[in-house]
Amino acid sequence: AEALPVPVTLTKGAASREAEQLAFEKEQMKGQLGQPLRQRAEENNLQLLQNFDAIIDLTGAEQTRSGLAATGNAVITALSDGWEGAKAKTRTAYKKAEAQGELDALLNLEDLAKYINDKLPESTVAPVLNVAKQKGIQLGVLEQLNDGTVQALPTTLKNSELLRRSISDTTGFDPTNRLFSGELKKLIDQNTEGLGGELYKQARALREQQARKYEGRAIVANLLTTVKGKDDPKIVASEAFQKSILNASPEEITFLKRVLLTSGKDGQQAFKELQGATIKHLEDISTAGVGTDSQGRALVSTAKLNAGINQLDSNGRLDIILGKKNAEIVRDLNEV
């Protein structure tokens, strides 16, 4: 108790946990001579509230007291800036490769054409197959025949890259779509292997890194994209904490954490905002509907606080979010 950021001065019974002493204090608190005990209880409650504020300060969060929308905006802005930066690097790398003529290499995507023809019936449940077909025709990579099937035409490495990019951009997170998208891109990669030079390989590596970091996992991509056909974001700023921390798995939080911490100072600060919001969440649920003390301060329900901490701690999320040091402080606060 004394080692908490804001020390908590316990009564003799609370410190010793002796049943007889605790029973005595509980009984005395009700009578005329119980004022010092009642005052100590209110002091302890205030110290608990002050500890929530102190732990938020330890995280380095700056937007916590401005609400969840401010926290969400910090996260979304950091991810958006990181994504735009990654796309700019990729575009520059491809332009360098193109300027050196490395995207002019010729190839023929016959395996891709055969795959699309074989999977025509499945295009009704996997729209990416139809996108690949139509985009291929538009780029001159494929030619549609009278029976609705396609055949491959001689094309350039640049067009194959444009086709691959279109497939990636329209895949989404539907499992069936992702399955066929992976097969389509694999066939393109097999046919382009060894083509182009070092600049092209560098551009491809940057594009794959961009996809893995910002586009391949829903925990990040949903914070960056809008609802199909609308300008509305898939996750509004005020719901970002709920979706990315409270409703996320340990693996998803770990991935989001890694992306933010490798997205510059803004990304690192955004993760601190999520840490601060986590402490504020624990404070909010432990004081909701409990009432106030004689000074009008919110009372902390130890049972609700314990339940909230255990919910995060049961599968390791508390350590992932707060780091081992601050997570241990939260556990100590819970114990006190």
Side-chain angles (χ1 to χ4, degrees), residues 97-328:
E98 186 175 4
Q100 293 298 316
E102 293 188 10
L103 299 183
D104 295 335
L106 295 176
L107 67 150
N108 192 301
L109 297 177
E110 292 179 359
D111 293 340
L112 181 73
K114 183 178 185 303
Y115 183 85
I116 290 173
N117 291 334
D118 291 343
K119 301 298 181 182
L120 278 177
E122 285 87 346
S123 61
T124 56
V125 293
V128 71
L129 288 166
N130 197 47
V131 168
K133 176 181 176 181
Q134 296 304 322
K135 189 67 176 180
I137 293 170
Q138 181 189 24
L139 291 169
V141 175
L142 303 172
E143 179 184 39
Q144 183 162 319
L145 303 177
N146 292 333
D147 61 358
T149 61
V150 292
Q151 68 177 8
L153 297 175
T155 190
T156 62
L157 185 56
K158 179 180 179 179
N159 283 337
S160 71
E161 279 295 319
L162 292 173
L163 176 57
R164 192 185 193 283
R165 190 181 308 169
S166 180
I167 292 168
S168 291
D169 291 344
T170 57
T171 297
F173 297 100
D174 174 75
T176 305
N177 230 26
R178 287 175 69 87
L179 172 66
F180 288 113
S181 174
E183 293 293 331
L184 289 165
K185 289 188 287 186
K186 183 179 177 181
L187 288 168
I188 294 174
D189 292 344
Q190 287 173 353
N191 281 270
T192 58
E193 187 175 358
L195 297 178
E198 286 303 314
L199 291 175
Y200 169 70
K201 291 176 183 176
Q202 291 172 16
R204 276 293 299 273
L206 284 171
R207 182 64 185 89
E208 289 169 6
Q209 183 183 33
Q210 171 192 319
R212 284 196 306 271
K213 195 170 182 179
Y214 297 104
E215 300 160 14
R217 296 283 292 271
I219 188 71
V220 170
N222 282 343
L223 290 166
L224 293 170
T225 52
T226 57
V227 178
K228 190 174 182 180
K230 299 181 180 179
D231 293 329
D232 302 324
K234 283 189 176 180
I235 298 177
V236 296
S238 59
E239 296 178 357
F241 171 72
Q242 180 82 25
K243 300 283 187 181
S244 60
I245 298 296
L246 297 184
N247 293 348
S249 68
E251 293 76 19
E252 289 172 323
I253 297 171
T254 299
F255 183 81
L256 174 62
K257 178 180 181 179
R258 185 164 59 246
V259 171
L260 286 173
L261 294 183
T262 57
S263 294
K265 290 183 178 180
D266 289 344
Q268 293 160 18
Q269 183 60 40
F271 191 72
K272 291 177 182 178
E273 301 303 339
L274 289 175
Q275 292 177 317
T278 301
I279 303 301
K280 188 67 172 67
H281 162 74
L282 293 173
E283 179 184 5
D284 289 345
I285 63 172
S286 65
T287 56
V290 182
T292 58
D293 64 11
S294 65
Q295 303 298 314
R297 293 184 291 250
L299 290 170
V300 177
S301 164
T302 55
K304 288 183 176 181
L305 177 60
N306 182 59
I309 291 173
N310 285 342
Q311 184 181 29
L312 291 173
D313 209 14
S314 61
N315 58 1
R317 288 183 295 168
L318 194 68
D319 279 329
I320 297 169
I321 299 164
L322 299 178
K324 291 188 179 298
K325 184 177 179 180
N326 285 343
E328 196 57 41

Side-chain angles (χ1 to χ4, degrees), residues 17-74:
R17 299 190 179 187
E18 292 178 2
E20 186 176 339
Q21 178 67 23
L22 282 167
F24 171 77
E25 291 177 8
K26 186 176 181 181
E27 189 61 33
Q28 290 299 310
M29 199 177 288
K30 301 173 185 176
Q32 290 182 342
L33 301 178
Q35 178 57 26
L37 286 167
R38 291 193 293 272
Q39 184 176 343
R40 179 62 61 82
E42 290 204 353
E43 288 174 359
N44 287 166
N45 185 74
L46 173 59
Q47 289 160 344
L48 294 180
L49 293 173
Q50 290 172 331
N51 268 293
F52 286 123
D53 289 334
I55 300 170
I56 289 172
D57 289 340
L58 286 176
T59 67
E62 298 172 354
Q63 302 293 331
T64 303
R65 294 166 186 83
S66 299
L68 290 178
T71 298
N73 279 324

